[in-house]
């Protein structure tokens, strides 16, 4: 039972500290889950991000569910999910009433503009960390460049990129193994 509550409170603390959506939570997830709690490895977390991105819902919530389930079964998945969304529900409920009354004020608009810039930097840091761990050889570099170009020039669902990248990884690794 202690594990379950630890999951809830850990993810609730992350939920309180995250501004800017699910992607902004990625660096906090990495620090808490991999470095502090050791509930997942860097590679597992990267896999959870990938799966979380191509499944319905918010990536941070999906990732919390995967981590909670891995750490403490179905109950852990449920509690991690509840933990990560609970603070948002409370904060959004409070802000919804306030924001309509104050959104026209210049300082409120400027604060949101500053927060957006900060969130971009946090996401970029998470991307750079993932990039260093994920692009480790020519095969993964090719997949990265193709997906990057595809995501810039094509209007495809992220699901297609994940599925096609998985297939490319399998094909290129098998091709590489046959050449050796």
């Amino acid at each position: 039972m202690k594990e379950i509550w630890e999951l809830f409170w850990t993810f609730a603390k992350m939920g309180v500290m995250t501004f800017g959506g699910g992607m902004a939570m990625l660096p906090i997830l990495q620090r808490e889950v991999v470095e502090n709690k050791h509930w997942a490895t860097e590679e597992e977390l990267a896999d959870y991000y990938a799966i979380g991105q191509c499944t319905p819902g918010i990536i941070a919530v999906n990732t919390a569910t995967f981590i909670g389930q891995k750490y403490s079964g179905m109950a852990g998945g449920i509690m991690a999910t509840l933990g990560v969304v609970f603070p948002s529900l409370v904060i959004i409920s409070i802000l919804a009433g306030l924001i309509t009354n104050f959104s026209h004020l210049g300082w409120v608009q400027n604060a949101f503009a500053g927060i957006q810039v900060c969130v971009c930097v946090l996401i970029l840091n998470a991307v750079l960390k993932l990039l260093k761990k994920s692009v480790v050889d020519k095969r993964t570099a090719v997949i990265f460049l193709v997906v990057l170009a595809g995501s810039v020039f094509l209007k495809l669902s992220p699901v297609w990129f994940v599925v096609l990248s998985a297939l490319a990884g399998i094909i290129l690794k098998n091709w590489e193994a046959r050449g050796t």
Side-chain angles (χ1 to χ4, degrees):
M1 193 64 158
K2 183 182 175 204
E3 292 175 345
I4 303 290
W5 285 108
E6 184 178 13
L7 281 165
F8 178 85
W9 288 114
T10 298
F11 281 98
K13 285 188 283 185
M14 284 188 267
V16 166
M17 300 305 293
T18 303
F19 294 90
M23 296 299 280
M25 188 179 280
L26 299 184
I28 298 169
L29 272 167
Q30 191 275 334
R31 185 179 61 241
E32 280 300 312
V33 170
V34 175
E35 296 172 15
N36 295 346
K37 300 289 186 180
H38 307 288
W39 289 339
T41 65
E42 291 274 355
E43 293 77 20
E44 288 172 326
L45 192 59
D47 290 342
Y48 296 152
Y49 290 163
I51 296 167
Q53 181 65 39
C54 67
T55 53
I58 301 166
I59 187 171
V61 174
N62 295 346
T63 303
T65 305
F66 296 138
I67 292 165
Q69 194 279 331
K70 177 193 179 236
Y71 182 67
S72 197
M74 187 181 296
I78 291 169
M79 289 304 276
T81 302
L82 290 174
V84 81
V85 299
F86 180 74
S88 296
L89 289 173
V90 172
I91 292 168
I92 288 170
S93 296
I94 293 168
L95 287 178
L98 296 175
I99 214 122
T100 55
N101 296 325
F102 299 106
S103 63
H104 66 284
L105 297 175
W107 68 269
V108 172
Q109 294 170 355
N110 293 337
F112 281 121
I115 290 170
Q116 288 175 345
V117 171
C118 177
V119 167
C120 289
V121 171
L122 294 174
I123 293 170
L124 179 62
N125 285 335
V127 167
L128 293 175
K129 281 184 180 181
L130 282 171
L131 186 65
K132 289 176 186 175
K133 297 285 184 180
S134 300
V135 180
V136 295
D137 56 18
K138 289 179 185 176
R139 175 177 44 95
T140 54
V142 167
I143 293 170
F144 171 80
L145 292 172
V146 169
V147 171
L148 178 63
S151 67
V152 169
F153 297 111
L154 302 174
K155 300 290 183 199
L156 289 177
S157 166
V159 174
W160 287 111
F161 289 117
V162 172
V163 170
L164 294 172
S165 296
L167 290 173
I170 293 167
I171 292 167
L172 290 174
K173 188 65 176 179
N174 285 334
W175 186 42
E176 186 180 285
R178 287 185 184 161
T180 306

